[in-house]
Amino acid sequence: MKKSFYLYVLTFRGGDWSDSKVRFAEEMFHEHNFPKQSTDFDELSTYIESFATDNLTTVTFDELWGLYVDQG
């Protein structure tokens, strides 16, 4: 079974703060309502669009989603 998007993105935590993926991961970690078990693009995208912040952006989500899909 494929790990959730949340678990994948957590691998970026603790990196260089200048990397938008690192900032996204840190922000996502602190979002208590983030759909942690989801592997569904539409569910995750809707959440990000609804609760976007300076670090939790749709642009970075799209980049991370591409990496997530590629890592298969």
Side-chain angles (χ1 to χ4, degrees):
M1 185 168 130
K2 186 174 189 171
K3 68 179 167 181
S4 71
F5 178 76
Y6 178 82
L7 289 177
Y8 173 73
V9 173
L10 287 182
T11 64
F12 289 90
R13 286 190 74 216
D16 183 352
W17 193 251
S18 66
D19 185 345
S20 63
K21 295 183 296 297
V22 171
R23 294 192 308 272
F24 186 100
E26 294 293 343
E27 183 88 13
M28 181 195 70
F29 177 75
H30 294 287
E31 285 285 325
H32 298 291
N33 294 323
F34 194 90
K36 293 177 176 67
Q37 302 303 319
S38 185
T39 59
D40 180 72
F41 176 84
D42 291 330
E43 178 184 13
L44 293 161
S45 180
T46 298
Y47 182 88
I48 299 300
E49 289 170 4
S50 298
F51 299 102
T53 66
D54 288 344
N55 293 318
L56 200 68
T57 66
T58 56
V59 171
T60 305
F61 168 72
D62 289 340
E63 180 181 0
L64 284 164
W65 182 262
L67 294 171
Y68 174 68
V69 169
D70 287 346
Q71 64 92 33

